Amino acid sequence: MERLPSYIPPPGVSRVDPELLDRLAQALRIRGEGYRPRTRHLGPNGWAKYTNRLFLETSPYLLQHAHNPVDWYPWEDEAFEQARRLRRPVFLSIGYSTCHWCHVMEEESFEDEEIARFLNEKYIAVKVDREERPDVDAIYMKAVQGFSGAGGWPLNVWLTPERKPFFGGTYFPPRIGRFGKGSGFLEILQALSDSYISKALEVEEICGKAAVFIRQALSPEGGDDLPTAEALTDAARFYLDHFDPVNGGMASAPKFPSQLPVRFLLRFHRRTGDGSYLDMARRTLEGMAAGGIYDHVGGGFHRYSTDEKWLIPHFEKMLYDNALLVTAYLEGYQATGRKDFARVARETLRFIERDMTAPGGAFYSATDADSPGEGGRREEGTFFTWTPEEIEEVLGPERARIVAKYYGVTEGGNFEGRSILHVPTSPNVVARALGLPEAELDAIISEAKDLLYRTRSLRPGPIRDEKILTAWNGLAISAYARAGLVLDDPGYVERACQAARFLLEHAFQGGRLYRTWKDGEARHPGLLEDHAFLVAGFLDLYEASADLAWLEEAVAMNAILSDRFEDKACGGYFLTGDGHEELLVREKPMYDGAEPAGTSVAVLNLLRLHVFTTDPQYRTQAENAFRYAAPTLKNNPISLSEMLLALDFLIDRPKQVVVVIPQGAGRDEATPLLSAFRGRFVPNRVLSVVREGQEQEKVARIIPLVRGKVAVGGRATAYVCQELTCMTPTSNPAELLQQIGSVQP
């Protein structure tokens, strides 16, 4: 019988199931000799003193807690059955692997043996990775928002064995006095344990009210009428009133990239011609790219800025943020012609390629805010910040002087004695101040970034969360595919194809899509967003590659989504599919936050599919979803900022662009027309590039509009159509620009 190198039951646990010990030992054997437990509790042989059930999981976040003295359970029926049998409340803690304050609470409380003992004796403790289980997270986040008016991670909630919440909050210091006032975590645990027994009726009443609140919030009543352009105008007016004209973004701190939806502003400018909205988008893209929220050495964006100037970031990097920002910068480039916006998109994709790409071509989830500093203690931002001496050691005195001026590096620094690189002054002003031609300054900065990146890569880096999430990979597939189309880079398209093929091979099994893949195992049923984001990725891949197989994949995956997630009675979509675990409420996502809601993306997918295929069923489904969302769009349109893109598409006259290549010719034949197309911001459209003959007939089975179109005079010819009525076919790029540039909402 296999055994762990050493094992001590968690404090307060008198008996451990021998079968569990065997499973833990088998898991260790699979992980191999290179596995290192993350805990300060080590035995004489260097192995962890404690090991709990989370050691059997694949989630990097759960594995971070696998050697706490807390006797953690994953979210599973066994935990709640045990709570019911022992008549104990459940302590639920939700977080994710790159969350700074989750790490703080782990070190202060979950690694504390006294706190762990009390938890183990009085509660059943359950850990959840919110990125694996956003369905669970959404319910209890809403509960905590109801209890306290605020939410965040770590999310800590007290439940009955029936999974009903009766108290909750976010970060708690370990004991009274950590910040000079208020209750500590241990005292709260003690008080709630007593209350659960002595005030059982009061607890039950709180649970009942919380359950009603959660159901009303996460599955609201829908409407009967379609939303109108008034929702777009109301949202635009709100953003105009709350805009920060100095730094871009919203006039508040902290600043998240998603708070001011650049892509919506670009569409509203196109719809109205009002330059103030284009200016808001431009200033926001400029501010983020110049600030410390952008990683000037390695590319990519940190999660948010703690200040109003985009200077001091929270240093974690999320795949979803960077994928979404690539698309925003690409659209900003198309709308303004600004080459620096295209550069930011390229550098962000390079970050994903270098630091976030898994073997096989899929993409990892995130990198941590913290990294080891002096003495090995994890500190936020250490990996990303610099001193003048460090820069001079890499670049030499003269180049270091130029780079320090460009990136605002000073002796005192701007973050705990070190400097976060940012661009406080425009490059042309810096060039004049240094007496350098702009081109020479640009060359020096470009070379310096590469040298600094190589040096920085030798530092102890942040932890990387290496689980592959289907939804976030869908966003990254879209980013790469759109970049391939807009920037005319087939390499980007191929990377999107590799990731898509990986998901189809590994995350799609037995006709079911799974949410996560790690360590050779697909886990957790796919949610609405997993299906919707992947459909969007397939559609973007079709437009970028002209490979009909991707459009066929989009149609097939969307059929699964409709079958398993659509609320056919009331409109809209459920977060969870049919046959999913029964939770307190079956949420219908109606909020676009840092990540878009699956509903918003699913609706835009339907509209795109309708314009591609002309199948009226797609539009009917989209309109049903819009009717459900109409009250929210009327009362609080900014809460559905991503759905506003779909609404703009719905009430526009989307363009169907078909480029026909002569039979026997290569795609290069269409280059002049596609170059014109990719340089113009035309968000509400679909694109098909087809070759005359057999290929054209095959495509016509899905896209009827391509049938009968010819390459006039043996030259690549563009057909621009609206509502199945086509303008004059053209092989002239200038005429194509005029046709696609018209706006007739």
Side-chain angles (χ1 to χ4, degrees), residues 151-347:
W153 300 279
L155 187 69
N156 297 297
V157 198
W158 281 257
L159 317 178
T160 68
E162 292 71 39
R163 311 185 195 206
K164 297 177 181 178
F166 60 90
F167 185 76
T170 55
Y171 166 80
F172 295 108
R175 292 172 176 80
I176 291 176
R178 170 68 169 80
F179 290 119
K181 61 181 181 179
S183 298
F185 182 55
L186 180 58
E187 289 76 23
I188 293 171
L189 286 172
Q190 292 167 340
L192 290 175
S193 175
D194 293 340
S195 297
Y196 181 74
I197 302 299
S198 63
K199 300 180 180 179
L201 292 178
E202 186 176 328
V203 167
E204 189 62 32
E205 183 180 355
I206 292 171
C207 287
K209 291 179 179 178
V212 170
F213 172 77
I214 293 167
R215 291 191 183 100
Q216 291 175 342
L218 297 185
S219 187
E221 294 291 327
D224 298 319
D225 299 319
L226 287 174
T228 67
E230 184 180 1
L232 304 178
T233 303
D234 290 346
R237 187 179 301 117
F238 175 88
Y239 293 126
L240 189 62
D241 290 344
H242 294 81
F243 181 65
D244 179 345
V246 176
N247 305 295
M250 299 287 276
S252 61
K255 279 189 172 179
F256 288 81
S258 60
Q259 284 176 319
L260 190 80
V262 166
R263 299 178 65 206
F264 165 71
L265 297 176
L266 294 175
R267 283 159 176 76
F268 198 75
H269 163 254
R270 177 178 176 273
R271 169 175 289 274
T272 63
D274 189 332
S276 58
Y277 296 100
L278 179 63
D279 186 60
M280 290 164 65
R282 177 185 59 78
R283 286 174 179 264
T284 301
L285 293 173
E286 286 176 347
M288 290 191 296
I293 192 175
Y294 184 63
D295 181 356
H296 294 270
V297 168
F301 289 84
H302 300 292
R303 185 161 170 256
Y304 65 87
S305 171
T306 61
D307 66 305
E308 73 281 358
K309 298 179 180 179
W310 303 107
L311 175 59
I312 310 296
H314 190 46
F315 287 92
E316 63 194 304
K317 287 182 176 181
M318 317 302 291
L319 177 63
Y320 65 80
D321 275 330
N322 284 282
L324 292 166
L325 284 166
V326 164
T327 299
Y329 275 89
L330 289 171
E331 292 191 351
Y333 164 62
Q334 288 180 305
T336 66
R338 290 273 298 268
K339 292 183 179 179
D340 55 327
F341 291 167
R343 172 185 57 79
V344 171
R346 288 187 184 278
E347 290 178 352

Side-chain angles (χ1 to χ4, degrees), residues 472-510:
W472 297 4
N473 271 256
L475 295 175
I477 289 166
S478 284
Y480 270 105
R482 292 181 181 191
L485 178 61
V486 172
L487 303 176
D488 191 18
D489 190 327
Y492 289 150
V493 179
E494 178 53 30
R495 289 188 190 99
C497 287
Q498 289 175 357
R501 286 192 290 262
F502 182 97
L503 293 178
L504 287 173
E505 181 179 351
H506 297 286
F508 188 61
Q509 300 177 8

